[in-house]
Amino acid sequence: MNLQIILGNFALILFVLMVVTGVIWFLDVFYLAKQRRAAADRALAEYDARNARLTADGVKIDNTGNRAQLEAGILRQPTWIEYSGSFFPVIALVFFLRSFLFEPFKIPSSSMVPTLLVGDLILVNKFTYGIRLPVINQKIVQINDPQRGDVMVFKYPMDMSQDYIKRVVGVPGDKITYENKRLTVNGVEVKYTTLDDYLNDERLVYNKQFEENLTGVSHRILNDESKPTYNRDSVFPFPNSEACTYRSEGFSCVVPAGNYFMMGDNRDNSMDSRYWGFVPDKNIVGKAIVVWMNLGNLRRIGSIH
């Protein structure tokens, strides 16, 4: 694991902070606090003995509050221990929530337009595809498998420090054919319904828009008529590439066991499984379920389809 991956792995940073603050908190509760208590008891005993001697000698002592101040001063936590104890439960709660329940993400690109727009803040369900150990992302409890049509977040196979989001088009064993910008899954042509053209706000052009029924899951996609079905020169060497056959009009891939074929809804503006191959199960982060905020467009808030 290189430095770039470490710095880009927020879960790892949270884990380290949780361990460090947790160790300090544990050490304070079960050792350092007792040491301070013992030191305070010794100091108070000496204080009381000295005052007793002075009183016996006839010296009048005004010790109003002095004893309490002495005790409080010795029992006071050092600043670094106080802050660690305060931050530990907060960090632990955040780590648990984002590791096992839900994790927020921000959409950085237009590859999933019109389903997801740049700037959308989404929540990802971390447990629907199984419970995984944080940091190493090792699945320990199987729950559900990704299904065709799911919008899924995963670690980019070419760079594990990056999180990608695409739609599941093929599951293990599927034969995916994409020709002339139309999908066929296991020999069955996917149904398309023409919708009104979609205005591309970035380029100020209109793209063809369709409703794609991906074996029962309907969603919108975009096509750019000025671009080819795919660019063969942009295809990288990738594991299990022998499972794919590329032709001038398109390609076919048989999805290997334990892998998934992903595509962006903005079909002609998405780098996806067409170019860098399959997504292994071990790379899965979770299922995108809702847009919870878009500061530029509050109407974007809602579930993801």
Side-chain angles (χ1 to χ4, degrees):
M1 183 177 291
N2 59 39
L3 181 60
Q4 181 182 0
I5 294 178
I6 292 175
L7 294 178
N9 193 332
F10 186 61
L12 177 60
I13 295 173
L14 268 183
F15 178 74
V16 172
L17 289 174
M18 182 182 68
V19 170
V20 171
T21 56
V23 168
I24 293 173
W25 174 84
F26 185 89
L27 186 64
D28 183 59
V29 169
F30 294 100
Y31 179 72
L32 297 178
K34 294 179 180 179
Q35 294 294 103
R36 292 196 299 274
R37 180 70 264 177
D41 290 341
R42 290 192 300 269
L44 291 176
E46 294 175 0
Y47 179 86
D48 292 339
R50 182 177 64 84
N51 286 350
R53 289 194 302 271
L54 292 174
T55 301
D57 292 338
V59 179
K60 185 177 180 180
I61 302 174
D62 183 10
N63 62 356
T64 305
N66 290 345
R67 193 177 191 277
Q69 291 177 5
L70 174 63
E71 181 180 25
I74 298 174
L75 292 178
R76 184 180 298 115
Q77 292 177 317
T79 301
W80 62 279
I81 292 180
E82 182 180 0
Y83 277 103
S84 295
S86 300
F87 286 135
F88 170 62
V90 177
I91 294 173
L93 178 61
V94 171
F95 181 77
F96 175 81
L97 289 176
R98 74 185 305 278
S99 296
F100 298 106
L101 299 179
F102 302 99
E103 183 174 358
F105 287 89
K106 182 178 181 180
I107 301 302
S109 74
S110 59
S111 70
M112 282 296 292
V113 173
T115 304
L116 296 171
L117 305 185
V118 175
D120 281 351
L121 302 176
I122 67 171
L123 276 183
V124 171
N125 185 319
K126 297 294 290 287
F127 59 85
T128 190
Y129 296 141
I131 298 175
R132 298 171 183 267
L133 293 176
V135 181
I136 62 174
N137 207 38
Q138 176 65 47
K139 185 187 293 185
I140 55 175
V141 177
Q142 172 66 30
I143 298 180
N144 299 306
D145 292 320
Q147 301 297 311
R148 297 186 206 96
D150 288 356
V151 178
M152 191 170 78
V153 175
F154 54 91
K155 295 295 182 182
Y156 177 40
M158 297 288 185
D159 182 357
M160 293 290 285
S161 68
Q162 296 186 44
D163 293 306
Y164 268 33
I165 183 167
K166 307 289 180 185
R167 190 177 296 276
V168 179
V169 171
V171 298
D174 281 350
K175 181 178 181 180
I176 303 299
T177 300
Y178 190 62
E179 292 182 347
N180 301 316
K181 302 189 180 184
R182 292 295 183 265
L183 274 171
T184 300
V185 179
N186 297 325
V188 179
E189 294 184 1
V190 172
K191 296 180 180 180
Y192 293 88
T193 303
T194 303
L195 304 176
D196 292 338
D197 288 352
Y198 181 88
L199 176 60
N200 186 323
D201 292 333
E202 293 182 359
R203 300 172 55 196
L204 296 180
V205 297
Y206 282 93
N207 292 137
K208 293 296 182 181
Q209 183 175 207
F210 303 90
E211 181 180 77
E212 182 180 76
N213 189 321
L214 189 60
T215 61
V217 179
S218 295
H219 55 276
R220 294 183 296 157
I221 67 163
L222 301 182
N223 283 153
D224 186 341
E225 291 186 320
S226 67
K227 295 185 177 182
T229 300
Y230 79 105
N231 185 350
R232 184 68 178 88
D233 294 334
S234 298
V235 177
F236 297 98
F238 57 86
N240 298 305
S241 59
E242 66 277 3
C244 295
T245 302
Y246 290 89
R247 300 174 295 279
S248 59
E249 67 275 12
F251 64 88
S252 296
C253 290
V254 177
V255 185
N259 287 264
Y260 298 88
F261 194 91
M262 315 296 297
M263 295 182 73
D265 289 346
N266 194 354
R267 291 288 157 83
D268 298 314
N269 290 281
S270 173
M271 289 295 290
D272 46 42
S273 288
R274 289 173 286 181
Y275 301 105
W276 40 253
F278 308 103
V279 175
D281 181 83
K282 65 180 182 180
N283 288 38
I284 293 175
V285 173
K287 180 180 180 180
I289 56 173
V290 67
V291 176
W292 64 271
M293 180 59 70
N294 184 312
L295 297 177
N297 185 358
L298 296 181
R299 291 179 298 175
R300 292 290 304 154
I301 298 174
S303 58
I304 297 172
H305 301 289

